[in-house]
Amino acid sequence: MPGNSQRLRIGIDVTAAVTQGGGIGRYTRELVRALIRKDDSSYYILFSGKAPKHALVADPIPEASNVEYREFWLSAKWLYRLWYRI
């Protein structure tokens, strides 16, 4: 069994979870919450484009000891473009 220094690091783009109240946003929030509940041996890095000033969803990012959230300075629109251009 790997030690803490060898934890699997999983990155997930949660832009939809932060910027959309329903549909893919809700699906993403529920999927991430379920993953974190079931897997406490991995380390999750959740990231998104710049969130809107007014929150559409209360608590879109789950808090846990194995979760880190990073918000890019790019807007969600530009982050999306960057993903598909690279």
Side-chain angles (χ1 to χ4, degrees), residues 35-47:
L35 282 170
I36 292 167
R37 249 191 328 267
K38 292 285 187 185
D39 177 20
D40 62 354
S41 64
S42 298
Y43 187 76
Y44 291 89
I45 301 170
L46 309 178
F47 59 92

Side-chain angles (χ1 to χ4, degrees), residues 49-50 73-85:
K50 190 133 180 88
W73 56 272
L74 291 169
S75 69
K77 178 180 172 180
W78 280 101
L79 184 61
Y80 177 82
R81 287 178 179 170
L82 182 63
W83 273 119
Y84 287 96
R85 296 287 182 200

Side-chain angles (χ1 to χ4, degrees), residues 7-53:
R7 274 183 157 184
L8 184 61
R9 293 171 48 137
I10 300 170
I12 302 173
D13 181 351
V14 294
T15 301
V18 173
T19 61
Q20 299 176 24
I24 193 70
R26 180 173 182 182
Y27 179 81
T28 303
R29 284 188 301 278
E30 296 301 325
L31 179 64
V32 168
R33 286 183 182 123
L35 282 170
I36 292 167
R37 249 191 328 267
K38 292 285 187 185
D39 177 20
D40 62 354
S41 64
S42 298
Y43 187 76
Y44 291 89
I45 301 170
L46 309 178
F47 59 92
S48 74
K50 190 133 180 88
K53 290 183 182 184

